């Protein structure tokens, strides 16, 4: 199972789009500062997510969100 997710920064009015196989672990990585591009805007919460059977489907959905934002 793969997930496409949208995170919302509680510090700034900002969103982050991504995909992962482990949603809770990935959110934790964002919140402890292990992701360089999101470190300055911590803390993050899950704003939205969808699940997919394959990594390709999750990646394709992430790209959809990044192109409409």
């Amino acid at each position: 199972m793969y997930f496409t997710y949208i995170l919302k920064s509680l510090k700034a009015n900002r969103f982050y789009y991504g995909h992962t196989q482990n949603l809770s672990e990935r959110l934790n990585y964002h919140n402890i500062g292990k992701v360089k591009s999101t470190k300055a805007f911590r803390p993050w919460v899950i704003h939205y997510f969808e699940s997919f059977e394959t990594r390709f489907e999750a990646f394709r959905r992430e790209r959809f969100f990044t192109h409409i934002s």
Side-chain angles (χ1 to χ4, degrees):
M1 184 77 49
Y2 293 86
F3 301 92
T4 298
Y5 61 90
I6 301 173
L7 301 181
K8 183 175 183 178
S9 168
L10 295 178
K11 181 178 179 181
N13 190 19
R14 188 175 198 118
F15 292 93
Y16 178 85
Y17 309 91
H19 71 281
T20 187
Q21 200 166 8
N22 188 326
L23 190 54
S24 60
E25 182 179 279
R26 189 65 179 158
L27 176 61
N28 186 49
Y29 276 18
H30 285 284
N31 280 322
I32 63 174
K34 287 194 172 188
V35 182
K36 187 177 181 180
S37 62
T38 61
K39 186 176 183 175
F41 306 103
R42 296 176 288 164
W44 294 91
V45 293
I46 296 173
H47 179 71
Y48 179 79
F49 74 92
E50 295 177 356
S51 58
F52 297 93
E53 291 292 320
T54 68
R55 183 176 182 205
F56 176 75
E57 291 171 304
F59 175 73
R60 184 173 54 188
R61 187 63 167 162
E62 176 191 344
R63 298 286 294 168
F64 169 79
F65 286 128
T66 59
H67 283 89
I68 64 167
S69 61

